[in-house]
Amino acid sequence: MTVTTTPLEPALFASLDPPRLAGSRCADCGTVTFPAATSCPRCTGQQVLAHVLPDRGTVWSWTVQRFCPKPPYLPPDGGFRPFAVGYVDLGEVLVEARLVAEPEQLSIGAPVRLVLEPAVGVDGAPAVGHAFAPVAEGA
């Protein structure tokens, strides 16, 4: 599938097809960050390299967002509806993201994969953000 929309924030993605997030790795101590950083938060090293993050991980923790986020969030047609958010453990780094699932599908340790989430850019044009969805059994 080819994605023809624009990312909400281009710097968050290494690629859209397939979807992969762009992180960074410190050449001095190996610390991985997301989003990508220009210096290391652990050792303050300046030799930070681009690092493509894995597209699969596990739910580290999660909750349901029951209030409308501040702008630039745009509620879907019909108004705000609560949604799952959490931290996904990608092995080297935790990533905060929306979880595209019903709460009964989620549990700590559940396998998830990176997906593109349809969104509307600040200019009103179609865009995509990142989210994680449960991995189907056998996939």
Side-chain angles (χ1 to χ4, degrees), residues 3-69:
V3 177
T4 58
T5 56
T6 304
L8 282 171
E9 177 54 56
L12 296 181
F13 292 96
S15 71
L16 291 179
D17 189 13
R20 297 296 291 269
L21 295 173
S24 59
R25 178 187 296 277
C26 176
D28 296 327
C29 73
T31 296
V32 174
T33 59
F34 177 80
T38 56
S39 65
C40 179
R42 175 173 281 160
C43 74
T44 69
Q46 299 297 307
Q47 293 194 20
V48 178
L49 307 170
H51 181 69
V52 178
L53 299 177
D55 63 348
R56 291 177 185 246
T58 57
V59 175
W60 186 78
S61 188
W62 67 278
T63 190
V64 175
Q65 172 110 8
R66 299 190 187 279
F67 57 91
C68 189

Side-chain angles (χ1 to χ4, degrees), residues 78-95:
F80 172 77
R81 290 184 296 278
F83 56 87
V85 294
Y87 287 102
V88 174
D89 186 346
L90 296 180
E92 301 172 306
V93 66
L94 294 176
V95 172

